[in-house]
Amino acid sequence: SDLVIIRPGKSLNPHYVAAFLNSNIGKRAIASELVGAAQKHFNVGSAKQVSIPLPSLEVQASLVDRAAEFSKRSE
């Protein structure tokens, strides 16, 4: 198994990154970057190729809040 640690800079909310990568769009982006012939895996080189939409920090925070609210409602 692979472990990729992402350290977002000042313009990227880590909760937004997590929400994006766990979304259907994010999962498809990761799947498109899997490497390996016998067993597919996701490594640092693959992670660098994933394009994450970068709205303002305010919009990122709003999206994180909305995702948390939706998650609470669906429990």
Side-chain angles (χ1 to χ4, degrees):
S1 77
D2 297 310
L3 173 64
V4 176
I5 298 173
I6 298 172
R7 293 191 178 115
K10 293 180 181 181
S11 63
L12 197 55
N13 179 324
H15 300 286
Y16 169 77
V17 174
F20 174 78
L21 293 176
N22 285 304
S23 72
N24 288 335
I25 295 170
K27 289 177 184 179
R28 284 194 303 269
I30 289 171
S32 72
E33 296 299 334
L34 295 177
V35 296
Q39 184 172 357
K40 300 288 184 186
H41 61 279
F42 187 71
N43 60 25
V44 173
S46 301
K48 288 180 180 180
Q49 298 304 313
V50 173
S51 178
I52 299 175
L54 189 58
S56 69
L57 282 171
E58 293 79 20
V59 172
Q60 292 177 44
S62 174
L63 292 170
V64 168
D65 291 344
R66 288 172 58 189
E69 183 63 31
F70 180 76
S71 179
K72 286 180 188 176
R73 288 183 184 182
S74 63
E75 291 178 345

